[in-house]
């Protein structure tokens, strides 16, 4: 379905109503790219591809200064402690569940194999975590979303930060999802002639792509700081 923001009210005048309708119907990436470039040339999408990444390293102190104190480096969870704590808690809960239910099954004289399987639940959790950590993280996040009403708002803010900064840097959005599996997937936008239209792709050093990726990567945490005052 066409996104709800693809309406006349979402664009600054003057806009081409026919182009907007075409954009709503453009499901392939090539058609979308051509229309985006057309809308940009007509000064409809003023903000798209309007910013360039700062091509140098920025210290944490300078980051606080540049953001006028909105981003406090001491409140950035750069090590992922919040996610690690959630995984530790999940493991403790699974261990307690396996121990308690295993003892009950043994006392109730359940089938020995069933008792063994129940008691092995913590080891199964660890094995799954080693074999497929992303799946465990998705399961834990899904459980946290059911228990923490503010987590979804934080995830929305985080992914919106990636989304908006990628848009400002001239990227196309392939996928946007918020939930147990939250992610924004980008692509380089090409015009009708097949030339990349993104600001970082115009015959510039390859390091520019690295800076762009770095800016997009931290945009999620910055968005969390704007909304919540910290980033997890």
């Amino acid at each position: 379905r066409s996104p709800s923001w693809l309406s006349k009210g979402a664009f600054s005048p003057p806009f081409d109503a026919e182009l907007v309708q075409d954009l709503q119907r453009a499901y392939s990436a090539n058609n979308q790219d051509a229309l985006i470039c057309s809308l940009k040339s007509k000064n409809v999408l003023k903000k798209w591809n309007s910013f360039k990444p700062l091509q140098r390293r920025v210290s944490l102190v300078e980051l606080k200064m540049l953001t006028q104190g909105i981003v406090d480096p001491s409140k950035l969870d750069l090590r992922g402690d919040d996610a690690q704590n959630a995984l530790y808690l999940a493991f403790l809960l699974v261990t307690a569940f396996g121990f308690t239910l295993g003892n009950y099954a043994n006392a109730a004289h359940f089938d020995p194999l069933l008792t063994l399987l129940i008691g092995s639940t913590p080891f199964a959790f660890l094995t799954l975590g080693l074999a497929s950590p992303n799946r465990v993280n998705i399961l834990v996040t899904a459980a946290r979303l059911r228990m923490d009403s503010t987590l979804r708002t934080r995830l929305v803010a985080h992914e919106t930060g990636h989304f908006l900064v990628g848009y400002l840097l001239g990227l196309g959005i392939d996928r946007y999802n918020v939930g147990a599996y939250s992610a924004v997937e980008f692509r380089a936008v090409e015009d009708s002639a097949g030339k990349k239209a993104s600001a970082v792709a115009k015959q510039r050093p390859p390091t520019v792509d690295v800076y762009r990726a770095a800016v997009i990567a931290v945009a999620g945490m910055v968005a969390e700081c704007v909304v919540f005052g910290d980033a997890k």
Side-chain angles (χ1 to χ4, degrees), residues 86-225:
L87 289 173
Y88 293 153
L89 178 60
F91 177 69
L92 288 176
L93 291 175
V94 170
T95 302
F97 170 82
F99 179 79
T100 303
L101 197 58
N103 284 339
Y104 173 79
N106 185 47
H109 302 290
F110 282 13
D111 184 272
L113 180 59
L114 178 60
T115 303
L116 179 62
L117 290 175
I118 294 174
S120 302
T121 304
F123 300 100
F125 183 87
L126 285 176
T127 302
L128 181 61
L130 292 173
S132 183
N134 287 336
R135 292 193 177 187
V136 172
N137 187 52
I138 290 174
L139 291 174
V140 172
T141 303
R144 293 178 65 191
L145 284 170
R146 291 182 175 273
M147 296 182 292
D148 187 356
S149 59
T150 63
L151 179 58
R152 178 172 292 278
T153 305
R154 184 178 287 275
L155 289 176
V156 169
H158 185 97
E159 299 305 331
T160 299
H162 295 310
F163 183 102
L164 292 177
V165 171
Y167 178 86
L168 293 174
L169 292 176
L171 292 176
I173 312 298
D174 267 344
R175 184 173 179 274
Y176 178 84
N177 183 64
V178 174
Y181 175 74
S182 298
V184 182
E185 296 179 3
F186 299 98
R187 71 172 188 278
V189 173
E190 297 183 354
D191 59 19
S192 57
K195 296 181 179 180
K196 291 184 178 180
S198 300
V200 296
K202 293 181 179 178
Q203 302 298 324
R204 297 192 176 194
T207 52
V208 179
D209 285 329
V210 176
Y211 287 112
R212 176 178 63 171
V215 171
I216 294 174
V218 300
M221 291 190 295
V222 172
E224 287 188 55
C225 289

